[in-house]
Amino acid sequence: MPALAGLSPEVLAKYQPVIGLEVHVQLLTRTKAFCGCRNEYGGEPNTHICPTCLGLPGALPVLNRQAVEFATLAAKALGCTINERSVFARKNYFYPDSPKGYQISQYDKPLAEHGSLTVPDANANPKPIGITRLHMEEDAGKSLHDDFADSASRTYIDLNRCGTPLIEIVSEPDIRTPDEAFEYLTRLKEILLYTGVSDCNMEEGSLRCDANVSVMLKTDAQFGTKAEVKNVNSFRYIRAALEYEIERQIGVLEEGSRVVQESRLWNNAEGRTYSMRSKEQAHDYRYFPEPDLPPLVVGEAWLRGILSEMPELPEARRARMIAEYGLSSQDAATLTAERAFADRFETLAKRAKSPRRVAAILLSEITMRLRAANIEFEQSPVTLDGIVLAADLTEAGQISSKQLKQLLDTCFAEGRDFAFVYDRDKPQQITDSSAIEKMIDEVIAANPAQVGQFKGGKRTVAAFFVGQVMKLSKGHANPALLNELVVKKLDA
Ligand SMILES: [Zn+2]
């Protein structure tokens, strides 16, 4: 982080940052919010448009039912109360990529309010962050400033994005550190992905975040003047932008000046924010109820129907998977970060002898080899059946972990599934107890000191003997049998 001159840790410690986040999320509906145009990223510029999303005279908006259902589902997943009756409003402002001269949004009667999302604070304790409101609105088009021969002197307009359905999720100013902001956004995205209402693709602008940040002396009772950092396109950059902005504002106050209420842009290359424009106030937009749309009423029956689509959410799923499969919280967190991955794991876990073993193989052996081969799970030569077989054989002690690694290496090298390679290369396992006992005797005779430790009560030394015999057998001794025989011999 680019440190600003002259701010000691003691000075920084006098101040309390206060952060609130506004997140815009595009909904994955088939068509736009108020017309039948395709809702799709990209496309030849100005081809997904019609009189309604261009705001031509006489065209009237019709609200997209699926957009309401997605917005409602997301709101409920974030713990919001759904207002049975909400009202669309016109937010009036000129922008070159917004041909209507206003945006259809919701103002004083939003779809949903009073939600909350829990993040870990600095001490890893759960901290609820309030969600003030979730409302529906439409996206604007795009101004294209680059990639044309005359881009130096002209800006082009692509209106394909005009009228794309959005939800805006506004948090309470409950966030106190850039890390909490990062956690809030990470969990928010996770929940939205679970509900399936958005792809949350930040590179394509499906999820965009503005951060309001101010600082106050810890002894102050009132929040300071806030600045808004606009449209930062990754969570890591938002954290960096907040860190910068907090120090900048403290610097301003320490100089005896005042923080100006304004919008600022983050420049990632330079690692700093720049003043963009003074911040508008709500009354500047001259909101009034949208005359072309009736109030939105989400009645009880409709709401019930929408909520029947609610999936199990990440937090609940983690807790259940820990209880049901005996997973560590770390493994459960990794397995549930994406819904499809968690689904995949559960399909396996239900068929395998040991879900913990499946988790271990999936998260380490398989993930590591996928990464090394730079391929996705869908392209893995080892299928779900292959993973179950590998886990069951390992769990039953029919193959050692070393043999498992070798078999998986072969699978990935040859692009073949586990069952095929296992059948062909079935490791020569020594299951003859007298042969194993002979090797154990040999190792015991060679290591009197360790035998003494074992007899003295240090029973964990047994693992040493298991390791030595396994080495002697070149990894071929049946692990379960070996474990059993080592302890028996040492106890004898
Ligand atoms: Zn249209």
Side-chain angles (χ1 to χ4, degrees), residues 322-354:
I322 290 170
E324 201 166 313
Y325 306 120
L327 302 174
S328 69
S329 57
Q330 176 64 46
D331 281 359
T334 313
L335 287 165
T336 52
E338 280 177 43
R339 186 176 162 187
F341 196 68
D343 290 346
R344 199 171 284 151
F345 167 75
E346 292 215 70
T347 312
L348 292 174
K350 287 189 174 30
R351 280 162 35 197
K353 293 198 179 87
S354 162

PDB file of all heavy atoms in Angstrom, residues 322-354:
ATOM      1  N   ILE A 322     -20.334 -30.182   8.247  1.00  0.00           N
ATOM      2  CA  ILE A 322     -19.410 -30.494   9.343  1.00  0.00           C
ATOM      3  C   ILE A 322     -20.041 -31.568  10.237  1.00  0.00           C
ATOM      4  O   ILE A 322     -19.409 -32.563  10.591  1.00  0.00           O
ATOM      5  CB  ILE A 322     -19.074 -29.220  10.161  1.00  0.00           C
ATOM      6  CG1 ILE A 322     -18.195 -28.291   9.328  1.00  0.00           C
ATOM      7  CG2 ILE A 322     -18.391 -29.585  11.471  1.00  0.00           C
ATOM      8  CD1 ILE A 322     -17.994 -26.916   9.923  1.00  0.00           C
ATOM      9  N   ALA A 323     -21.328 -31.370  10.537  1.00  0.00           N
ATOM     10  CA  ALA A 323     -22.021 -32.322  11.415  1.00  0.00           C
ATOM     11  C   ALA A 323     -22.222 -33.668  10.728  1.00  0.00           C
ATOM     12  O   ALA A 323     -22.015 -34.725  11.323  1.00  0.00           O
ATOM     13  CB  ALA A 323     -23.365 -31.735  11.842  1.00  0.00           C
ATOM     14  N   GLU A 324     -22.624 -33.627   9.461  1.00  0.00           N
ATOM     15  CA  GLU A 324     -23.018 -34.847   8.773  1.00  0.00           C
ATOM     16  C   GLU A 324     -21.822 -35.704   8.358  1.00  0.00           C
ATOM     17  O   GLU A 324     -21.879 -36.924   8.401  1.00  0.00           O
ATOM     18  CB  GLU A 324     -23.821 -34.453   7.534  1.00  0.00           C
ATOM     19  CG  GLU A 324     -24.710 -35.550   6.987  1.00  0.00           C
ATOM     20  CD  GLU A 324     -25.712 -34.964   5.999  1.00  0.00           C
ATOM     21  OE1 GLU A 324     -26.327 -33.924   6.326  1.00  0.00           O
ATOM     22  OE2 GLU A 324     -25.850 -35.511   4.910  1.00  0.00           O
ATOM     23  N   TYR A 325     -20.728 -35.063   7.938  1.00  0.00           N
ATOM     24  CA  TYR A 325     -19.608 -35.828   7.392  1.00  0.00           C
ATOM     25  C   TYR A 325     -18.360 -35.780   8.263  1.00  0.00           C
ATOM     26  O   TYR A 325     -17.319 -36.307   7.884  1.00  0.00           O
ATOM     27  CB  TYR A 325     -19.253 -35.312   5.993  1.00  0.00           C
ATOM     28  CG  TYR A 325     -20.422 -35.286   5.042  1.00  0.00           C
ATOM     29  CD1 TYR A 325     -20.848 -34.096   4.468  1.00  0.00           C
ATOM     30  CD2 TYR A 325     -21.101 -36.458   4.716  1.00  0.00           C
ATOM     31  CE1 TYR A 325     -21.925 -34.071   3.592  1.00  0.00           C
ATOM     32  CE2 TYR A 325     -22.182 -36.440   3.847  1.00  0.00           C
ATOM     33  CZ  TYR A 325     -22.582 -35.241   3.290  1.00  0.00           C
ATOM     34  OH  TYR A 325     -23.642 -35.226   2.430  1.00  0.00           O
ATOM     35  N   GLY A 326     -18.453 -35.092   9.389  1.00  0.00           N
ATOM     36  CA  GLY A 326     -17.287 -35.004  10.270  1.00  0.00           C
ATOM     37  C   GLY A 326     -16.120 -34.262   9.655  1.00  0.00           C
ATOM     38  O   GLY A 326     -14.960 -34.582   9.896  1.00  0.00           O
ATOM     39  N   LEU A 327     -16.406 -33.235   8.837  1.00  0.00           N
ATOM     40  CA  LEU A 327     -15.343 -32.474   8.183  1.00  0.00           C
ATOM     41  C   LEU A 327     -14.780 -31.418   9.122  1.00  0.00           C
ATOM     42  O   LEU A 327     -15.464 -30.968  10.042  1.00  0.00           O
ATOM     43  CB  LEU A 327     -15.894 -31.777   6.935  1.00  0.00           C
ATOM     44  CG  LEU A 327     -16.520 -32.658   5.858  1.00  0.00           C
ATOM     45  CD1 LEU A 327     -17.132 -31.782   4.781  1.00  0.00           C
ATOM     46  CD2 LEU A 327     -15.472 -33.590   5.254  1.00  0.00           C
ATOM     47  N   SER A 328     -13.550 -31.007   8.876  1.00  0.00           N
ATOM     48  CA  SER A 328     -13.014 -29.855   9.601  1.00  0.00           C
ATOM     49  C   SER A 328     -13.682 -28.605   9.034  1.00  0.00           C
ATOM     50  O   SER A 328     -14.179 -28.617   7.912  1.00  0.00           O
ATOM     51  CB  SER A 328     -11.495 -29.768   9.400  1.00  0.00           C
ATOM     52  OG  SER A 328     -11.226 -29.408   8.057  1.00  0.00           O
ATOM     53  N   SER A 329     -13.677 -27.514   9.825  1.00  0.00           N
ATOM     54  CA  SER A 329     -14.349 -26.307   9.338  1.00  0.00           C
ATOM     55  C   SER A 329     -13.595 -25.733   8.140  1.00  0.00           C
ATOM     56  O   SER A 329     -14.185 -25.143   7.239  1.00  0.00           O
ATOM     57  CB  SER A 329     -14.507 -25.274  10.455  1.00  0.00           C
ATOM     58  OG  SER A 329     -13.258 -24.954  10.987  1.00  0.00           O
ATOM     59  N   GLN A 330     -12.267 -25.933   8.132  1.00  0.00           N
ATOM     60  CA  GLN A 330     -11.473 -25.465   6.993  1.00  0.00           C
ATOM     61  C   GLN A 330     -11.871 -26.202   5.708  1.00  0.00           C
ATOM     62  O   GLN A 330     -12.116 -25.582   4.671  1.00  0.00           O
ATOM     63  CB  GLN A 330      -9.982 -25.715   7.295  1.00  0.00           C
ATOM     64  CG  GLN A 330      -9.040 -25.363   6.175  1.00  0.00           C
ATOM     65  CD  GLN A 330      -9.075 -23.871   5.872  1.00  0.00           C
ATOM     66  OE1 GLN A 330      -9.037 -23.042   6.775  1.00  0.00           O
ATOM     67  NE2 GLN A 330      -9.205 -23.509   4.597  1.00  0.00           N
ATOM     68  N   ASP A 331     -11.975 -27.539   5.783  1.00  0.00           N
ATOM     69  CA  ASP A 331     -12.380 -28.322   4.609  1.00  0.00           C
ATOM     70  C   ASP A 331     -13.799 -27.956   4.184  1.00  0.00           C
ATOM     71  O   ASP A 331     -14.086 -27.819   2.995  1.00  0.00           O
ATOM     72  CB  ASP A 331     -12.306 -29.830   4.905  1.00  0.00           C
ATOM     73  CG  ASP A 331     -10.873 -30.355   4.833  1.00  0.00           C
ATOM     74  OD1 ASP A 331      -9.972 -29.537   4.533  1.00  0.00           O
ATOM     75  OD2 ASP A 331     -10.665 -31.552   5.068  1.00  0.00           O
ATOM     76  N   ALA A 332     -14.680 -27.787   5.169  1.00  0.00           N
ATOM     77  CA  ALA A 332     -16.079 -27.448   4.841  1.00  0.00           C
ATOM     78  C   ALA A 332     -16.133 -26.101   4.128  1.00  0.00           C
ATOM     79  O   ALA A 332     -16.887 -25.921   3.171  1.00  0.00           O
ATOM     80  CB  ALA A 332     -16.921 -27.421   6.110  1.00  0.00           C
ATOM     81  N   ALA A 333     -15.303 -25.150   4.575  1.00  0.00           N
ATOM     82  CA  ALA A 333     -15.297 -23.828   3.942  1.00  0.00           C
ATOM     83  C   ALA A 333     -14.838 -23.930   2.490  1.00  0.00           C
ATOM     84  O   ALA A 333     -15.434 -23.338   1.588  1.00  0.00           O
ATOM     85  CB  ALA A 333     -14.401 -22.873   4.727  1.00  0.00           C
ATOM     86  N   THR A 334     -13.785 -24.705   2.249  1.00  0.00           N
ATOM     87  CA  THR A 334     -13.274 -24.854   0.885  1.00  0.00           C
ATOM     88  C   THR A 334     -14.295 -25.559   0.001  1.00  0.00           C
ATOM     89  O   THR A 334     -14.524 -25.169  -1.140  1.00  0.00           O
ATOM     90  CB  THR A 334     -11.964 -25.671   0.891  1.00  0.00           C
ATOM     91  OG1 THR A 334     -11.126 -25.148   1.914  1.00  0.00           O
ATOM     92  CG2 THR A 334     -11.254 -25.578  -0.439  1.00  0.00           C
ATOM     93  N   LEU A 335     -14.921 -26.604   0.551  1.00  0.00           N
ATOM     94  CA  LEU A 335     -15.858 -27.398  -0.246  1.00  0.00           C
ATOM     95  C   LEU A 335     -17.130 -26.625  -0.595  1.00  0.00           C
ATOM     96  O   LEU A 335     -17.771 -26.896  -1.601  1.00  0.00           O
ATOM     97  CB  LEU A 335     -16.238 -28.676   0.511  1.00  0.00           C
ATOM     98  CG  LEU A 335     -15.151 -29.754   0.585  1.00  0.00           C
ATOM     99  CD1 LEU A 335     -15.487 -30.790   1.641  1.00  0.00           C
ATOM    100  CD2 LEU A 335     -14.980 -30.430  -0.772  1.00  0.00           C
ATOM    101  N   THR A 336     -17.520 -25.658   0.251  1.00  0.00           N
ATOM    102  CA  THR A 336     -18.793 -24.964   0.028  1.00  0.00           C
ATOM    103  C   THR A 336     -18.628 -23.603  -0.635  1.00  0.00           C
ATOM    104  O   THR A 336     -19.612 -22.908  -0.848  1.00  0.00           O
ATOM    105  CB  THR A 336     -19.534 -24.739   1.363  1.00  0.00           C
ATOM    106  OG1 THR A 336     -18.634 -24.114   2.274  1.00  0.00           O
ATOM    107  CG2 THR A 336     -20.045 -26.042   1.932  1.00  0.00           C
ATOM    108  N   ALA A 337     -17.390 -23.207  -0.943  1.00  0.00           N
ATOM    109  CA  ALA A 337     -17.189 -21.874  -1.517  1.00  0.00           C
ATOM    110  C   ALA A 337     -17.994 -21.715  -2.809  1.00  0.00           C
ATOM    111  O   ALA A 337     -18.488 -20.641  -3.111  1.00  0.00           O
ATOM    112  CB  ALA A 337     -15.707 -21.618  -1.774  1.00  0.00           C
ATOM    113  N   GLU A 338     -18.127 -22.814  -3.562  1.00  0.00           N
ATOM    114  CA  GLU A 338     -18.978 -22.774  -4.753  1.00  0.00           C
ATOM    115  C   GLU A 338     -20.018 -23.877  -4.646  1.00  0.00           C
ATOM    116  O   GLU A 338     -19.705 -25.000  -4.274  1.00  0.00           O
ATOM    117  CB  GLU A 338     -18.140 -22.997  -6.009  1.00  0.00           C
ATOM    118  CG  GLU A 338     -17.413 -21.763  -6.461  1.00  0.00           C
ATOM    119  CD  GLU A 338     -16.543 -22.057  -7.658  1.00  0.00           C
ATOM    120  OE1 GLU A 338     -17.011 -22.768  -8.565  1.00  0.00           O
ATOM    121  OE2 GLU A 338     -15.399 -21.592  -7.657  1.00  0.00           O
ATOM    122  N   ARG A 339     -21.237 -23.519  -5.017  1.00  0.00           N
ATOM    123  CA  ARG A 339     -22.339 -24.453  -4.853  1.00  0.00           C
ATOM    124  C   ARG A 339     -22.125 -25.724  -5.681  1.00  0.00           C
ATOM    125  O   ARG A 339     -22.363 -26.834  -5.206  1.00  0.00           O
ATOM    126  CB  ARG A 339     -23.631 -23.755  -5.288  1.00  0.00           C
ATOM    127  CG  ARG A 339     -24.869 -24.561  -5.026  1.00  0.00           C
ATOM    128  CD  ARG A 339     -26.088 -23.722  -5.410  1.00  0.00           C
ATOM    129  NE  ARG A 339     -27.253 -24.541  -5.580  1.00  0.00           N
ATOM    130  CZ  ARG A 339     -28.414 -24.078  -6.049  1.00  0.00           C
ATOM    131  NH1 ARG A 339     -28.513 -22.806  -6.371  1.00  0.00           N
ATOM    132  NH2 ARG A 339     -29.442 -24.873  -6.175  1.00  0.00           N
ATOM    133  N   ALA A 340     -21.646 -25.578  -6.921  1.00  0.00           N
ATOM    134  CA  ALA A 340     -21.469 -26.741  -7.797  1.00  0.00           C
ATOM    135  C   ALA A 340     -20.426 -27.696  -7.209  1.00  0.00           C
ATOM    136  O   ALA A 340     -20.582 -28.915  -7.281  1.00  0.00           O
ATOM    137  CB  ALA A 340     -21.039 -26.289  -9.184  1.00  0.00           C
ATOM    138  N   PHE A 341     -19.392 -27.136  -6.621  1.00  0.00           N
ATOM    139  CA  PHE A 341     -18.336 -27.967  -6.036  1.00  0.00           C
ATOM    140  C   PHE A 341     -18.873 -28.713  -4.820  1.00  0.00           C
ATOM    141  O   PHE A 341     -18.603 -29.907  -4.627  1.00  0.00           O
ATOM    142  CB  PHE A 341     -17.143 -27.089  -5.655  1.00  0.00           C
ATOM    143  CG  PHE A 341     -15.877 -27.851  -5.396  1.00  0.00           C
ATOM    144  CD1 PHE A 341     -15.221 -28.494  -6.435  1.00  0.00           C
ATOM    145  CD2 PHE A 341     -15.341 -27.933  -4.122  1.00  0.00           C
ATOM    146  CE1 PHE A 341     -14.043 -29.199  -6.210  1.00  0.00           C
ATOM    147  CE2 PHE A 341     -14.171 -28.641  -3.879  1.00  0.00           C
ATOM    148  CZ  PHE A 341     -13.520 -29.275  -4.927  1.00  0.00           C
ATOM    149  N   ALA A 342     -19.664 -27.997  -4.003  1.00  0.00           N
ATOM    150  CA  ALA A 342     -20.258 -28.627  -2.823  1.00  0.00           C
ATOM    151  C   ALA A 342     -21.218 -29.739  -3.243  1.00  0.00           C
ATOM    152  O   ALA A 342     -21.244 -30.809  -2.637  1.00  0.00           O
ATOM    153  CB  ALA A 342     -20.980 -27.577  -1.987  1.00  0.00           C
ATOM    154  N   ASP A 343     -21.988 -29.491  -4.306  1.00  0.00           N
ATOM    155  CA  ASP A 343     -22.903 -30.520  -4.817  1.00  0.00           C
ATOM    156  C   ASP A 343     -22.113 -31.759  -5.222  1.00  0.00           C
ATOM    157  O   ASP A 343     -22.501 -32.889  -4.938  1.00  0.00           O
ATOM    158  CB  ASP A 343     -23.666 -30.004  -6.047  1.00  0.00           C
ATOM    159  CG  ASP A 343     -24.683 -28.941  -5.676  1.00  0.00           C
ATOM    160  OD1 ASP A 343     -24.979 -28.798  -4.471  1.00  0.00           O
ATOM    161  OD2 ASP A 343     -25.183 -28.250  -6.582  1.00  0.00           O
ATOM    162  N   ARG A 344     -21.022 -31.518  -5.917  1.00  0.00           N
ATOM    163  CA  ARG A 344     -20.174 -32.591  -6.398  1.00  0.00           C
ATOM    164  C   ARG A 344     -19.661 -33.435  -5.223  1.00  0.00           C
ATOM    165  O   ARG A 344     -19.715 -34.651  -5.231  1.00  0.00           O
ATOM    166  CB  ARG A 344     -18.984 -31.950  -7.117  1.00  0.00           C
ATOM    167  CG  ARG A 344     -18.254 -32.832  -8.029  1.00  0.00           C
ATOM    168  CD  ARG A 344     -17.276 -31.989  -8.810  1.00  0.00           C
ATOM    169  NE  ARG A 344     -17.903 -31.222  -9.853  1.00  0.00           N
ATOM    170  CZ  ARG A 344     -17.452 -30.047 -10.298  1.00  0.00           C
ATOM    171  NH1 ARG A 344     -16.394 -29.498  -9.748  1.00  0.00           N
ATOM    172  NH2 ARG A 344     -18.054 -29.434 -11.274  1.00  0.00           N
ATOM    173  N   PHE A 345     -19.181 -32.725  -4.206  1.00  0.00           N
ATOM    174  CA  PHE A 345     -18.666 -33.432  -3.042  1.00  0.00           C
ATOM    175  C   PHE A 345     -19.751 -34.282  -2.394  1.00  0.00           C
ATOM    176  O   PHE A 345     -19.528 -35.440  -2.042  1.00  0.00           O
ATOM    177  CB  PHE A 345     -18.094 -32.460  -2.004  1.00  0.00           C
ATOM    178  CG  PHE A 345     -17.838 -33.132  -0.681  1.00  0.00           C
ATOM    179  CD1 PHE A 345     -16.749 -33.976  -0.530  1.00  0.00           C
ATOM    180  CD2 PHE A 345     -18.708 -32.972   0.382  1.00  0.00           C
ATOM    181  CE1 PHE A 345     -16.530 -34.641   0.663  1.00  0.00           C
ATOM    182  CE2 PHE A 345     -18.494 -33.637   1.577  1.00  0.00           C
ATOM    183  CZ  PHE A 345     -17.409 -34.465   1.717  1.00  0.00           C
ATOM    184  N   GLU A 346     -20.936 -33.700  -2.251  1.00  0.00           N
ATOM    185  CA  GLU A 346     -21.987 -34.449  -1.547  1.00  0.00           C
ATOM    186  C   GLU A 346     -22.429 -35.677  -2.329  1.00  0.00           C
ATOM    187  O   GLU A 346     -22.789 -36.697  -1.738  1.00  0.00           O
ATOM    188  CB  GLU A 346     -23.169 -33.524  -1.243  1.00  0.00           C
ATOM    189  CG  GLU A 346     -22.786 -32.478  -0.203  1.00  0.00           C
ATOM    190  CD  GLU A 346     -23.925 -32.124   0.724  1.00  0.00           C
ATOM    191  OE1 GLU A 346     -24.294 -32.969   1.549  1.00  0.00           O
ATOM    192  OE2 GLU A 346     -24.452 -31.005   0.609  1.00  0.00           O
ATOM    193  N   THR A 347     -22.422 -35.578  -3.648  1.00  0.00           N
ATOM    194  CA  THR A 347     -22.744 -36.753  -4.459  1.00  0.00           C
ATOM    195  C   THR A 347     -21.768 -37.880  -4.127  1.00  0.00           C
ATOM    196  O   THR A 347     -22.148 -39.039  -3.966  1.00  0.00           O
ATOM    197  CB  THR A 347     -22.581 -36.399  -5.959  1.00  0.00           C
ATOM    198  OG1 THR A 347     -23.255 -35.177  -6.198  1.00  0.00           O
ATOM    199  CG2 THR A 347     -23.146 -37.485  -6.854  1.00  0.00           C
ATOM    200  N   LEU A 348     -20.484 -37.516  -4.017  1.00  0.00           N
ATOM    201  CA  LEU A 348     -19.448 -38.502  -3.708  1.00  0.00           C
ATOM    202  C   LEU A 348     -19.588 -39.029  -2.292  1.00  0.00           C
ATOM    203  O   LEU A 348     -19.507 -40.228  -2.046  1.00  0.00           O
ATOM    204  CB  LEU A 348     -18.066 -37.851  -3.835  1.00  0.00           C
ATOM    205  CG  LEU A 348     -17.614 -37.449  -5.218  1.00  0.00           C
ATOM    206  CD1 LEU A 348     -16.309 -36.686  -5.124  1.00  0.00           C
ATOM    207  CD2 LEU A 348     -17.436 -38.678  -6.065  1.00  0.00           C
ATOM    208  N   ALA A 349     -19.793 -38.075  -1.375  1.00  0.00           N
ATOM    209  CA  ALA A 349     -19.795 -38.430   0.049  1.00  0.00           C
ATOM    210  C   ALA A 349     -20.883 -39.448   0.354  1.00  0.00           C
ATOM    211  O   ALA A 349     -20.708 -40.324   1.200  1.00  0.00           O
ATOM    212  CB  ALA A 349     -19.986 -37.171   0.893  1.00  0.00           C
ATOM    213  N   LYS A 350     -21.995 -39.338  -0.339  1.00  0.00           N
ATOM    214  CA  LYS A 350     -23.111 -40.247  -0.073  1.00  0.00           C
ATOM    215  C   LYS A 350     -22.801 -41.667  -0.537  1.00  0.00           C
ATOM    216  O   LYS A 350     -23.399 -42.618  -0.064  1.00  0.00           O
ATOM    217  CB  LYS A 350     -24.375 -39.731  -0.763  1.00  0.00           C
ATOM    218  CG  LYS A 350     -24.959 -38.507  -0.064  1.00  0.00           C
ATOM    219  CD  LYS A 350     -26.316 -38.160  -0.621  1.00  0.00           C
ATOM    220  CE  LYS A 350     -27.010 -37.033   0.130  1.00  0.00           C
ATOM    221  NZ  LYS A 350     -26.181 -36.020   0.754  1.00  0.00           N
ATOM    222  N   ARG A 351     -21.897 -41.800  -1.523  1.00  0.00           N
ATOM    223  CA  ARG A 351     -21.607 -43.129  -2.064  1.00  0.00           C
ATOM    224  C   ARG A 351     -20.375 -43.768  -1.451  1.00  0.00           C
ATOM    225  O   ARG A 351     -20.173 -44.971  -1.563  1.00  0.00           O
ATOM    226  CB  ARG A 351     -21.423 -43.025  -3.581  1.00  0.00           C
ATOM    227  CG  ARG A 351     -22.760 -42.964  -4.297  1.00  0.00           C
ATOM    228  CD  ARG A 351     -22.656 -42.428  -5.702  1.00  0.00           C
ATOM    229  NE  ARG A 351     -21.443 -42.800  -6.387  1.00  0.00           N
ATOM    230  CZ  ARG A 351     -20.997 -42.181  -7.476  1.00  0.00           C
ATOM    231  NH1 ARG A 351     -21.679 -41.168  -7.982  1.00  0.00           N
ATOM    232  NH2 ARG A 351     -19.905 -42.563  -8.062  1.00  0.00           N
ATOM    233  N   ALA A 352     -19.512 -42.952  -0.854  1.00  0.00           N
ATOM    234  CA  ALA A 352     -18.232 -43.487  -0.384  1.00  0.00           C
ATOM    235  C   ALA A 352     -18.338 -43.985   1.050  1.00  0.00           C
ATOM    236  O   ALA A 352     -19.250 -43.608   1.781  1.00  0.00           O
ATOM    237  CB  ALA A 352     -17.170 -42.409  -0.479  1.00  0.00           C
ATOM    238  N   LYS A 353     -17.368 -44.824   1.437  1.00  0.00           N
ATOM    239  CA  LYS A 353     -17.359 -45.350   2.806  1.00  0.00           C
ATOM    240  C   LYS A 353     -17.026 -44.252   3.802  1.00  0.00           C
ATOM    241  O   LYS A 353     -17.569 -44.213   4.886  1.00  0.00           O
ATOM    242  CB  LYS A 353     -16.325 -46.478   2.915  1.00  0.00           C
ATOM    243  CG  LYS A 353     -16.696 -47.712   2.120  1.00  0.00           C
ATOM    244  CD  LYS A 353     -15.893 -48.923   2.595  1.00  0.00           C
ATOM    245  CE  LYS A 353     -16.275 -50.176   1.822  1.00  0.00           C
ATOM    246  NZ  LYS A 353     -15.487 -50.331   0.564  1.00  0.00           N
ATOM    247  N   SER A 354     -16.092 -43.359   3.428  1.00  0.00           N
ATOM    248  CA  SER A 354     -15.683 -42.307   4.349  1.00  0.00           C
ATOM    249  C   SER A 354     -15.690 -40.933   3.666  1.00  0.00           C
ATOM    250  O   SER A 354     -14.806 -40.632   2.864  1.00  0.00           O
ATOM    251  CB  SER A 354     -14.279 -42.594   4.889  1.00  0.00           C
ATOM    252  OG  SER A 354     -13.730 -41.400   5.423  1.00  0.00           O
TER     253      SER A 354
END
